[in-house]
Amino acid sequence: MNTFDFTTIRRDFPALQQQVYGRPLIYLDSAATAQKPQCVTDTVNDMHRRLNANIHRAVHYLATQCTERYEQARETVRRFIHARATQEVVFTSGTTAAINLLAFSFGERWVGVDDEIIVTEAEHHSNIVPWQLLCERKGARLKVVPVDDAGRLQTNVLATLISEKTRLLCITHISNVLGVVNPVREIVRLAHTHGVPTLVDGAQGVVHQPVDVQEMDCDFYVFSGHKLYAPTGIGVLYGKEKQLEQLPPWQGGGDMIASVSFDKTTFAELPLKFEAGTANYIGACGLASAIDYLASIPLAAAHRYEQELAAYAMRQLSTIEGLQIYGEAAPKTGVVSFTIAGVHPLDAAAILDKSGIAVRTGHLCAEPLMRRFGVQGMLRVSPAFYNTPVEIDTLVVALKTAKKMLKA
Ligand code: PMP
């Protein structure tokens, strides 16, 4: 394993210092939400205590300070994902909100009867259900790209699914179940050769890979702050300016207007057109603080280390008889999901919990993928750069004990 200094990193995360049930916490559920470094909680606390006033409205000191910091946060996000302009960075409450925004706004503008939206079998519910709802509203159809047994997207099938009726292709960058990194650049290129725009769900991808939306050339990229070491309730919709320009607003309210009268309302310029109501400006500053934190650590080494940790977890877990891992295709990072023959995932997770080990269980918000692999649920460990190989070893020992207890 590379020489990533996780010992120093761990000191930045107060939550990792605690014990649960008298055992040191082993937090292996970062794909659900990541723990926060001290600098992020300090930013949020400081703003609540000292520097709080509504943005884009008043001229007083606190309001202008908050507005400036909010717009600086937008610039920080822009740089982080290499967007061309801050107009292309819309703050939302998270990935789900960003996708719903698009499903309404893009759907309103471009989707009609008999049109088609393509998603993949590996999507989180939040990149399926908003599109299903849109299809119901508009009389459109959802088409699905399958994954193979190793968790790879079957891109050869994708080519056959695209038709002149296809309005949008929605793919996950990294599945929250399989951990397989999808070849989004090539997929976007394929879609574009057919004139189809693309939405990439980056909720997991942005955490484990450098993201350059211009290089990826996707039309839309969405992610949540809370998985990226930032507070909950903040997320991002990136969209190419020429795409966002053409879309109608989704929600109406304060901040998204240029002028309002009972005869006619005109809308604010991008990105505020899509930010109705009081924005989560403190959350946005928390997100900027998390991105600054990531810039202060050796991030490329952290990403490599996460990939190695996932590979190490796969090797160690494979020593458990009857354990099956889903999504063995490389490159893989961030999550390892599995079942153990004869062991219910929930029972195993409950036993792990009593040893201080936090993992996720259930359908992982991806029921179609569960059905694809013929299981009702899985166990999922999702290591981040603050986890250690020793924690993986402890997990494996605890799982072996749990298996014995449950099979006795
Ligand atoms: N997509 C993926 C791939 C995810 O992992 C998640 C969160 N588990 C989401 C979308 C939804 O994110 P949020 O709940 O933060 O909106």
Side-chain angles (χ1 to χ4, degrees):
M1 226 166 273
N2 81 42
T3 51
F4 185 69
D5 181 9
F6 51 74
T7 311
T8 306
I9 290 284
R10 286 176 68 82
R11 290 195 204 112
D12 298 331
F13 291 82
L16 300 179
Q17 319 305 327
Q18 66 188 304
Q19 302 215 328
V20 294
Y21 310 113
R23 307 280 192 97
L25 170 67
I26 296 182
Y27 187 74
L28 290 168
D29 196 18
S30 295
T33 198
Q35 298 303 342
K36 320 302 173 200
Q38 178 86 44
C39 59
V40 168
T41 56
D42 284 350
T43 297
V44 170
N45 286 342
D46 181 52
M47 288 193 73
H48 276 128
R49 288 218 293 253
R50 194 179 60 81
L51 197 68
N52 173 50
N54 211 333
I55 56 168
H56 294 151
R57 288 160 170 82
V59 294
H60 61 77
Y61 178 81
L62 290 182
T64 47
Q65 288 287 308
C66 270
T67 302
E68 236 167 67
R69 289 188 60 164
Y70 181 68
E71 293 305 333
Q72 269 166 16
R74 200 189 305 277
E75 167 59 17
T76 302
V77 170
R78 184 203 66 74
R79 252 187 290 122
F80 184 61
I81 60 170
H82 300 276
R84 204 185 47 75
T86 47
Q87 284 85 334
E88 301 183 321
V89 175
V90 176
F91 283 120
T92 66
S93 65
T95 305
T96 305
I99 297 173
N100 277 281
L101 186 165
L102 266 189
F104 275 87
S105 184
F106 185 94
E108 198 52 39
R109 178 77 175 85
W110 296 117
V111 180
V113 179
D114 288 340
D115 284 342
E116 294 162 358
I117 306 285
I118 300 182
V119 298
T120 88
E121 213 168 21
E123 298 311 310
H124 187 279
H125 292 162
S126 64
N127 206 18
I128 299 174
V129 183
W131 303 114
Q132 273 179 327
L133 291 170
L134 168 67
C135 288
E136 275 170 29
R137 284 196 305 275
K138 296 282 183 168
R141 279 201 310 142
L142 203 64
K143 284 179 154 180
V144 184
V145 186
V147 296
D148 69 13
D149 290 344
R152 262 181 242 102
L153 275 187
Q154 295 189 268
T155 39
N156 52 331
V157 179
L158 167 61
T160 68
L161 291 179
I162 296 177
S163 80
E164 74 284 358
K165 300 241 173 236
T166 308
R167 294 291 162 260
L168 186 68
L169 168 65
C170 310
I171 47 166
T172 186
H173 190 174
I174 297 180
S175 148
N176 66 309
V177 175
L178 304 168
V180 177
V181 184
N182 287 323
V184 279
R185 177 71 197 91
E186 287 93 277
I187 293 173
V188 166
R189 196 176 291 135
L190 173 69
H192 284 176
T193 59
H194 293 84
V196 174
T198 48
L199 157 66
V200 178
D201 172 356
Q204 302 295 335
V206 76
V207 182
H208 303 292
Q209 302 265 299
V211 169
D212 182 331
V213 289
Q214 290 187 76
E215 201 268 326
M216 197 182 282
D217 201 29
C218 55
D219 297 272
F220 305 102
Y221 192 94
V222 294
F223 63 94
S224 300
H226 69 97
K227 294 176 201 284
L228 194 67
Y229 314 99
T232 48
I234 188 75
V236 170
L237 161 64
Y238 157 81
K240 283 182 181 167
E241 192 172 353
K242 71 171 192 293
Q243 289 284 0
L244 292 178
E245 278 292 356
Q246 298 182 71
L247 303 185
W250 173 31
Q251 294 182 317
D255 233 21
M256 53 76 72
I257 51 88
S259 149
V260 178
S261 78
F262 287 114
D263 297 327
K264 180 160 177 64
T265 290
T266 52
F267 303 116
E269 299 289 315
L270 289 176
L272 297 188
K273 179 171 84 171
F274 293 110
E275 294 184 1
T278 296
N280 182 2
Y281 49 91
I282 295 184
C285 294
L287 174 56
S289 174
I291 292 173
D292 288 344
Y293 175 77
L294 294 175
S296 77
I297 67 168
L299 191 57
H303 286 157
R304 265 199 312 280
Y305 173 65
E306 285 172 340
Q307 205 164 335
E308 288 167 1
L309 211 48
Y312 182 71
M314 290 200 351
R315 281 199 303 280
Q316 298 308 104
L317 286 166
S318 301
T319 64
I320 300 174
E321 221 194 296
L323 185 140
Q324 164 140 22
I325 290 168
Y326 300 89
E328 292 191 285
K332 172 175 173 119
T333 189
V335 299
V336 180
S337 301
F338 56 92
T339 52
I340 304 172
V343 173
H344 195 288
L346 254 183
D347 295 337
I351 294 174
L352 292 179
D353 174 50
K354 293 291 180 286
S355 308
I357 305 173
V359 300
R360 174 77 202 277
T361 48
H363 54 55
L364 310 182
C365 295
E367 281 192 47
L369 203 50
M370 298 298 125
R371 238 164 263 131
R372 156 70 180 81
F373 286 104
V375 298
Q376 297 230 303
M378 296 179 185
L379 281 141
R380 179 184 75 187
V381 302
S382 51
F385 54 58
Y386 47 52
N387 290 115
T388 72
V390 171
E391 289 181 316
I392 301 292
D393 296 341
T394 309
L395 161 80
V396 172
V397 170
L399 263 177
K400 285 181 177 166
T401 309
K403 188 181 159 206
K404 266 195 212 125
M405 285 166 69
L406 292 167
K407 290 204 135 183

